[in-house]
């Protein structure tokens, strides 16, 4: 089943490009650890989800690009075309000339209604190219005007027009300081609208990803490109194919369905987060070895102590004694150090996945396995455990991605 | 990509405008090597086939044929405009008619209510050459208050100080440094004009650079774009308080390329020093309502954030906007520099300028000196003066109120409690 991506605004388009690039590169990575048949099955599954075929053999991303001014879309289109390996559809873009001025109202009440027909037509065309539609993946920021306002409008329209398709919104939580002054207005307005019309909100915080780039990836001068690439890696780990019960060569068909089913048991709780381990620069990778036991232990602690990355994890964290925090004293600025997740999903990728024992980690419940993320191996699907509902607000999608250099066995 | 129309009024406006168009052409020439009429150029120029008369001549794509500036030049006497139309930029302007100063603002507002009106106005300094300038300024201020969306006040004294500083650097021969020919103050001939010849040229170049940097993120690509309408959206918290203090760095490029990259952080510090401001004011000791940083060149988000964290403690922000920064990153640096920074601050430090203006006005007005010249004109009455000065007083009062909240602790608003 296919996913149609809608990229909105500067942020959405810049991230969208990195996501498709990561997905394509992963599925076409020279597979040293997998059989040819395995590789081909993986590629075909990834392709069905995210790319459609063009006449001259160059895969076209199943995406619609929307922005209220031209520069970013032109850049995105040309970057994709330049890679020569995949591209965006020529007629899949919608742009205007005036921008949204960081004004949510412009995006939602002016540009939305004005250009509703054109945008929905573009999406319709993309949907018609799919044999079977899993749902929509909408990438947008919350701080700007187009992504936030127009994104909220488009999501609402998707709900009206495609009521049986799933919608996941990927929202970028702006930096705490120093991005857009009116970001708090735009963000609150966006969240309130999306909560009613979207099925799941996958959140990435700029601050958190920035820290990952600084501490784990050791990048000295962090650019938005670096941040987007880390993001894309995390998203790729979530969306790439995973095994179905039949075992190897057969992949689960409905990615969005799987995610929703496991992570959104109740429509009131739909905010998701991603934790990824290990996350490091290519250079460090060559000098590192991993075991499933070690990775799972770290991941579990990251989950329990609400850490966003594998450095600086609090191993001493304890649950609050009285269960619920005292009313009125909970300041918004204090970080909650004890995890309050409602449901989790673990995705394991890599070598010897069947040997990974998730059983005794009670915090990690539902498990999906997959062949590879940049390094394919044969593996088996672990049978799912029951889901334990805990009190709290934030659901966590817990992800394990094991990376091995392609050459080692 | 938004397109902007530049309206140049009066001798000052037209002279600045002339510098501006010169620099704009240079900037686009440096970036657009193939001579294709692209989106960036279209923000300030039209592409016209001069062989066709009338509207049919506009070409929207392809090679550059003949560029026409999206500009309207207005003056009440021919001298300055004629000089421009005979100079090297004569082919860039269409012949056009004449009009009037700030009256234009109101006209533009009525005709095009949805289009933002940015005004760079030159404020008179203490020693001014026009005796009735206080009257003119106050009357103009009223129009600016009501009909402009955003005003960037600039005063000649600051510009002059900047030129003097550059002069000093050039002549002192410090560390063997020399000013590169392409700096903020040179014209297209690439020669730093001597102060004695045409002082205003150098000063006008600075203002022209301000305008270029302001629009750079709208014209060129970058990882975090910012359009003109975003400036207004983020920097103007209340409609009356739309006066922004601007500061530009760097002012010159040192020829010695071995200076270490610490220059990047230095650039940010400079932007908040008084030497680089285009108006005499002291933002560090007043209250910031909002601040925008527009960076050009090879600067990334981490550099920006590091510097904001570094500079924030020394600046006072208003209680309801403690993290009030708007940032933009444009990949294309200005000609002759590797990076540059334009800082726009909405700060209560403009208050003394306005108070000063009001003082000078009242000194003249108390004696009714020179008033009869104005009242002779049809449509002008004494009430215009009183209204103008009260509009300015109201503005000053608003700033006063904000200043009063300066050192007060940030109060948390009482929240609803859920009964258990």
């Amino acid at each position: 089943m296919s996913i149609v991506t809608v990229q909105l605004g500067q942020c959405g388009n810049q991230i969208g490009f990195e996501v498709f690039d990561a997905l394509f590169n992963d599925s076409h990575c020279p597979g040293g650890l997998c059989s040819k048949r395995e590789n081909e099955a993986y590629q075909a599954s990834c392709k069905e989800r995210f790319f459609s075929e063009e006449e001259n053999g160059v895969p076209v991303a199943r995406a619609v690009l929307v922005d209220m001014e031209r520069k970013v879309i032109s850049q995105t289109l040309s970057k994709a075309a330049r890679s020569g390996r995949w591209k965006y559809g020529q007629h899949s873009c919608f742009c205007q000339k005036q921008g949204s001025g960081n004004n949510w109202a412009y995006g939602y009440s002016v540009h939305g209604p004005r250009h509703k027909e054109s945008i929905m037509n573009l999406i319709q065309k993309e949907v018609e190219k799919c044999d079977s539609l899993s749902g929509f993946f909408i990438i947008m920021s919350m701080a700007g005007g187009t992504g936030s306002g127009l994104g909220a409008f488009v999501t609402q329209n998707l709900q009206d027009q495609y009521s049986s398709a799933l919608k996941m919104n990927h929202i970028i939580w702006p930096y705490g300081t120093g991005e857009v002054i009116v970001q708090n207005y735009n963000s609150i307005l966006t969240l309130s609208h999306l909560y009613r019309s979207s099925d799941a909100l996958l959140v990435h915080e700029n601050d958190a990803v920035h820290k990952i780039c600084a501490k784990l990836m050791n990048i000295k001068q962090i650019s938005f490109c670096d941040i987007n690439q880390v993001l894309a890696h995390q998203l790729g780990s979530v969306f790439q194919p995973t095994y179905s019960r039949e075992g190897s060569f057969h992949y689960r068909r409905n990615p969005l369905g799987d995610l929703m089913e496991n992570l959104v048991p109740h429509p009131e709780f739909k905010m998701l987060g991603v934790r990824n381990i290990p996350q490091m620069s290519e250079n460090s990778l060559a000098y590192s070895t991993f075991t499933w036991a070690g990775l799972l232990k770290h991941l579990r602690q990251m989950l329990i102590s609400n850490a966003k990355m594998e450095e600086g994890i609090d191993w001493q964290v304890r649950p609050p004694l009285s269960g619920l925090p005292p009313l009125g004293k909970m300041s918004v600025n204090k970080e909650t150090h004890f995890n309050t997740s409602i449901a989790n999903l673990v995705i394991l990728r890599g070598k010897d996945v069947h040997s990974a024992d998730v059983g005794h980690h009670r915090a990690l419940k539902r498990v999906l396995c997959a062949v590879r993320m940049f390094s394919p191996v044969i593996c088996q699907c672990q049978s799912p455990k029951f889901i334990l509902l805990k009190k709290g607000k934030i659901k966590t999608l817990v992800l394990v991605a094991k990376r091995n250099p392609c050459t080692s066995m | 990509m938004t397109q902007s129309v530049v309206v140049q009024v009066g001798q000052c406006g037209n002279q600045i405008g002339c510098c501006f168009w010169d620099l704009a052409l240079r900037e686009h020439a440096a970036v657009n090597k193939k001579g294709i009429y692209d989106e960036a150029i279209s923000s300030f120029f039209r592409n016209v086939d001069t062989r066709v008369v009338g509207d049919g001549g506009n070409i929207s794509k392809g090679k550059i044929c003949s560029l026409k500036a999206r500009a309207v030049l207005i003056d009440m006497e021919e001298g300055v405009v004629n000089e421009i139309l005979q100079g090297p930029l004569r082919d860039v302007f269409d012949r056009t008619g004449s009009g009037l100063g700030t009256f234009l603002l109101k006209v533009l507002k009525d005709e095009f209510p949805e289009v933002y009106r940015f005004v760079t106005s030159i404020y008179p300094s203490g020693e001014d050459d026009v005796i009735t300038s206080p009257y003119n300024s106050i009357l103009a201020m009223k129009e600016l208050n009501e009909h402009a969306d955003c005003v960037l006040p600039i005063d000649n004294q600051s510009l002059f100080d900047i030129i003097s500083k550059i002069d000093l650097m050039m002549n002192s021969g410090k560390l063997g440094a020399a000013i590169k020919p392409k700096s903020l103050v040179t014209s297209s001939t690439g020669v730093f004009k001597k102060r004695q010849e045409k002082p205003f040229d150098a000063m006008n170049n600075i203002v022209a650079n301000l305008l270029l940097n302001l629009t750079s993120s709208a014209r060129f690509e970058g990882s975090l774009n910012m359009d003109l309408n975003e400036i207004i959206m983020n920097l103007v918290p209340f409609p009356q308080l739309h006066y922004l203090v601007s500061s530009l760095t760097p002012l010159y490029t040192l020829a010695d390329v071995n200076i270490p990259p610490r220059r990047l952080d230095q650039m940010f510090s400079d932007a908040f020093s008084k030497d680089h401001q285009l108006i005499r004011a002291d933002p560090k000791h007043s209250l910031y309502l909002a601040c925008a940083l527009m960076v050009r060149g090879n600067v990334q988000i981490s550099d920006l954030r590091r510097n904001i964290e570094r500079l924030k403690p020394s600046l006072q922000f208003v209680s309801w906007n403690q993290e009030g920064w708007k940032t933009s990153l444009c990949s294309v640096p200005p000609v002759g520099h590797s990076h540059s920074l334009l800082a726009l601050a909405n700060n209560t430090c403009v208050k003394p300028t306005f108070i000063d203006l009001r003082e000078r006005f009242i000194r003249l007005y108390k004696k009714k000196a020179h008033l009869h010249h104005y009242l002779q004109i049809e449509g002008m009455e004494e009430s215009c003066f009183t209204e103008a000065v009260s509009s300015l007083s109201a503005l000053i009062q608003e700033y006063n109120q904000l200043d009063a909240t300066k050192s007060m602790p940030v109060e948390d608003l009482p929240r609803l409690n859920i009964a258990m």
Side-chain angles (χ1 to χ4, degrees):
Chain A
M1 294 173 85
S2 314
I3 298 179
V4 171
T5 304
V6 183
Q7 309 176 179
L8 292 150
Q10 173 169 29
C11 175
N13 281 297
Q14 283 175 184
I15 291 180
F17 167 77
E18 298 293 348
V19 172
F20 279 106
D21 211 35
L23 291 170
F24 186 87
N25 287 335
D26 172 55
S27 65
H28 283 73
C29 165
L33 294 167
C34 254
S35 70
K36 186 161 174 249
R37 189 175 153 208
E38 182 75 59
N39 271 332
E40 283 174 0
Y42 186 81
Q43 266 182 29
S45 175
C46 170
K47 183 119 156 282
E48 189 204 359
R49 291 179 184 199
F50 298 106
F51 296 91
S52 60
E53 192 73 49
E54 180 110 317
E55 294 91 61
N56 47 7
V58 179
V60 175
R62 297 187 193 276
V64 175
L65 296 81
V66 180
D67 199 359
M68 286 299 116
E69 59 115 14
R70 291 187 184 286
K71 293 197 297 285
V72 184
I73 289 194
S74 327
Q75 247 193 317
T76 312
L77 289 177
S78 61
K79 266 205 281 192
R82 244 181 297 154
S83 74
R85 311 179 71 199
W86 65 274
K87 58 181 185 168
Y88 283 106
Q90 271 178 320
H91 303 288
S92 314
C93 323
F94 178 81
C95 34
Q96 289 293 289
K97 289 204 178 177
Q98 60 197 113
S100 295
N102 281 169
N103 193 330
W104 187 91
Y106 254 128
Y108 187 81
S109 312
V110 175
H111 293 306
R114 211 181 271 177
H115 306 298
K116 174 178 160 177
E117 286 246 8
S118 322
I119 299 177
M120 296 312 282
N121 277 341
L122 278 182
I123 298 182
Q124 173 87 7
K125 269 202 233 138
E126 206 55 56
V127 170
E128 282 166 5
K129 284 195 224 162
C130 307
D131 281 334
S132 125
L133 181 69
S134 167
F136 298 97
F137 185 58
I138 303 148
I139 312 179
M140 52 198 261
S141 71
M142 291 209 298
T146 305
S148 63
L150 191 56
F153 183 82
V154 167
T155 311
Q156 213 168 293
N157 276 284
L158 287 177
Q159 190 185 38
D160 296 332
Q161 205 169 327
Y162 301 92
S163 46
S164 53
L166 294 168
K167 290 167 299 297
M168 177 178 280
N169 287 65
H170 180 232
I171 54 182
I172 301 301
W173 205 272
Y175 283 104
T177 75
E179 212 175 312
V180 172
I181 294 178
V182 294
Q183 66 191 34
N184 301 314
Y185 279 161
N186 293 340
S187 303
I188 297 286
L189 286 164
T190 309
L191 281 174
S192 77
H193 276 78
L194 284 185
Y195 228 81
R196 279 180 268 149
S197 46
S198 176
D199 296 314
L201 303 176
L202 180 54
V203 180
H204 262 118
E205 294 170 41
N206 269 347
D207 279 308
V209 185
H210 192 107
K211 255 200 226 153
I212 291 179
C213 286
K215 304 253 168 81
L216 300 181
M217 314 285 289
N218 272 319
I219 304 175
K220 292 286 174 263
Q221 201 188 21
I222 302 172
S223 64
F224 272 121
C225 191
D226 299 317
I227 292 183
N228 293 343
Q229 282 175 349
V230 169
L231 263 174
H233 178 87
Q234 292 200 339
L235 288 177
S237 311
V238 173
F239 282 113
Q240 284 292 51
T242 54
Y243 280 139
S244 67
R245 266 170 241 252
E246 288 96 56
S248 332
F249 315 126
H250 296 281
Y251 293 95
R252 299 187 71 91
R253 304 215 54 229
N254 189 353
L256 285 180
D258 288 336
L259 293 172
M260 305 290 185
E261 180 193 3
N262 293 304
L263 296 169
V264 190
H266 189 286
E268 270 305 297
F269 302 115
K270 45 177 86 158
M271 289 188 67
L272 314 178
V274 182
R275 285 178 174 79
N276 196 343
I277 191 172
Q279 179 98 51
M280 54 175 56
S281 60
E282 294 279 340
N283 302 339
S284 315
L285 209 53
Y287 303 105
S288 320
T289 52
F290 308 102
T291 59
W292 282 117
L295 287 176
L296 284 171
K297 187 168 169 212
H298 272 81
L299 189 61
R300 176 180 173 268
Q301 196 60 29
M302 273 165 71
L303 176 64
I304 293 175
S305 63
N306 221 5
K308 297 274 169 30
M309 60 180 187
E310 68 219 57
E311 196 178 295
I313 302 176
D314 182 357
W315 292 91
Q316 312 297 329
V317 75
R318 292 278 172 271
L321 290 169
S322 57
L324 281 176
L327 278 181
K329 298 237 183 97
M330 188 73 133
S331 155
V332 191
N333 292 327
K334 247 215 246 158
E335 264 181 58
T336 37
H337 287 293
F338 191 76
N339 176 37
T340 50
S341 79
I342 291 180
N344 307 307
L345 177 68
V346 180
I347 299 181
L348 305 170
R349 295 181 188 277
K351 188 172 155 192
D352 296 331
V353 143
H354 57 274
S355 69
D357 183 10
V358 191
H360 65 278
H361 292 288
R362 274 190 304 134
L364 308 172
K365 284 297 156 187
R366 197 86 167 86
V367 175
L368 281 180
C369 289
V371 170
R372 67 182 183 169
M373 183 67 174
F374 306 114
S375 54
V377 185
I378 315 284
C379 76
Q380 244 180 350
C381 178
Q382 196 103 359
S383 57
K385 313 277 184 202
F386 58 88
I387 299 175
L388 182 71
L389 271 171
K390 287 186 204 161
K391 270 207 168 90
K393 283 270 170 211
I394 311 292
K395 258 170 301 234
T396 323
L397 165 65
V398 177
L399 181 86
V400 177
K402 178 168 173 170
R403 292 178 70 175
N404 268 333
C406 288
T407 47
S408 76
M409 282 296 271
Chain B
M1 183 77 51
T2 48
Q3 294 159 338
S4 313
V5 175
V6 177
V7 183
Q8 316 173 178
V9 188
Q11 173 178 24
C12 173
N14 280 298
Q15 283 175 337
I16 292 182
C18 199
C19 293
F20 170 76
W21 291 110
D22 182 44
L23 284 180
L25 281 170
R26 262 207 297 157
E27 188 170 85
H28 283 281
V31 175
N32 186 348
K33 304 262 190 250
K34 296 189 192 149
I36 304 283
Y37 181 70
D38 61 8
E39 291 280 347
I41 283 198
S42 77
S43 67
F44 280 130
F45 296 92
R46 285 180 292 133
N47 193 13
V48 170
D49 185 348
T50 40
R51 293 166 298 182
V52 179
V53 176
D55 276 339
N58 279 335
I59 310 169
S60 54
K61 283 187 190 171
K63 275 214 161 286
I64 292 178
C65 202
S66 166
L67 287 175
K68 293 287 176 197
R70 297 185 195 276
V72 178
L73 292 76
I74 300 174
D75 205 348
M76 289 316 297
E77 55 111 18
E78 293 184 327
V80 180
V81 176
N82 270 342
E83 199 188 311
I84 297 178
L85 292 178
Q86 280 155 24
L89 290 180
R90 62 181 164 276
D91 294 321
V92 170
F93 301 107
D94 271 336
R95 302 308 189 243
T96 185
S98 63
L100 311 141
T102 42
F103 175 72
L104 261 182
L105 270 181
K106 179 154 193 325
V107 170
L108 287 174
K109 183 173 178 179
D110 293 334
E111 288 286 312
F112 308 101
E114 289 166 5
V115 179
Y116 288 114
R117 292 163 297 282
F118 262 86
V119 184
T120 29
S121 40
I122 310 296
Y123 277 64
S125 14
E127 323 76 34
D128 210 352
D129 49 358
V130 178
I131 295 188
T132 49
S133 79
Y135 284 158
N136 298 335
S137 311
I138 298 288
L139 291 166
M141 275 290 296
K142 173 163 180 288
E143 301 301 312
L144 287 179
N145 263 338
E146 290 175 21
H147 304 305
D149 291 311
C150 183
V151 180
L152 299 164
I154 299 172
D155 75 52
N156 278 334
Q157 189 58 44
S158 305
L159 295 179
F160 193 72
D161 288 341
I162 291 177
I163 303 293
S164 314
K165 184 168 172 239
I166 295 179
D167 223 1
L168 203 66
M169 281 299 300
M170 222 177 69
N171 293 334
S172 73
K174 238 184 186 182
L175 303 171
I179 308 284
K180 267 192 181 163
K182 292 186 179 141
S183 79
L184 219 67
V185 299
T186 59
S187 67
S188 62
T189 57
V191 170
F192 180 65
K193 297 207 167 139
K194 282 284 159 208
R195 260 198 301 144
Q196 291 81 348
E197 286 177 4
K198 265 192 175 187
F200 283 109
D201 249 6
M203 290 157 69
N204 292 340
N205 260 303
I206 298 180
V207 183
N209 270 289
L210 165 72
L211 295 174
L212 275 181
N213 282 341
L214 198 62
T215 52
S216 62
S217 188
R219 290 176 288 134
F220 299 117
E221 56 177 31
S223 56
L224 191 57
N225 295 337
M226 174 148 93
D227 218 334
L228 289 178
N229 46 10
E230 289 174 28
I231 295 180
I232 299 191
M233 176 75 181
N234 286 291
L235 293 177
V236 182
F238 303 103
Q240 288 273 311
L241 308 177
H242 55 242
Y243 296 86
L244 306 179
V245 175
S246 46
S247 54
L248 270 177
T249 72
L251 297 171
Y252 50 82
T253 322
L254 297 175
D256 185 356
V257 295
N258 291 325
I259 295 192
R262 195 187 141 273
R263 258 199 304 160
L264 188 62
D265 281 15
Q266 185 58 40
M267 184 173 79
F268 282 90
S269 307
D270 283 342
F272 287 90
S273 90
K274 284 200 240 177
D275 297 333
H276 290 252
Q277 278 166 213
L278 275 65
I279 181 171
R280 297 283 219 52
D282 189 11
K284 277 199 169 167
H285 294 108
S286 315
L287 201 58
Y288 274 88
L289 300 176
C291 188
L293 297 173
M294 304 178 70
V295 191
R296 297 180 69 172
N298 184 18
V299 183
Q300 303 300 347
I301 184 75
S302 56
D303 301 318
L304 199 50
R305 297 186 58 73
R306 181 181 67 242
N307 281 289
I308 290 181
E309 289 302 317
R310 187 172 61 91
L311 295 165
K312 212 161 56 144
S314 58
L315 307 170
Q316 291 190 53
F317 272 84
V318 79
S319 66
W320 37 262
N321 192 10
Q322 290 279 304
E323 330 81 27
W325 297 84
K326 163 77 183 157
T327 54
S328 88
L329 296 164
C330 174
S331 329
V332 178
V335 177
H337 297 268
S338 60
H339 31 66
S340 79
L341 170 65
L342 166 66
L344 294 173
N346 192 341
N347 191 309
T348 55
C349 67
V350 289
K351 197 178 60 173
T353 312
F354 297 154
I355 293 181
D356 207 31
L357 217 54
R358 189 177 60 177
E359 287 306 303
R360 281 186 274 142
F361 173 89
I362 290 179
R363 267 205 302 262
L364 268 185
Y365 191 64
K366 255 201 312 210
K367 303 289 181 197
K368 306 277 195 262
H370 300 278
L371 206 57
H372 63 283
H373 297 292
Y374 290 82
L375 298 178
Q376 263 169 10
I377 314 283
E378 180 151 342
M380 195 74 191
E381 293 157 2
E382 271 211 50
S383 60
C384 299
F385 285 84
T386 47
E387 273 169 23
V389 79
S390 63
S391 148
L392 184 59
S393 295
L395 181 65
I396 294 175
Q397 186 53 24
E398 290 226 24
Y399 279 113
N400 273 332
Q401 275 175 350
L402 281 169
D403 268 336
T405 67
K406 203 161 36 159
S407 313
M408 281 169 28
V410 182
E411 256 176 39
D412 267 336
L413 293 173
R415 305 257 176 226
L416 286 177
N417 281 322
I418 301 171
M420 283 285 276

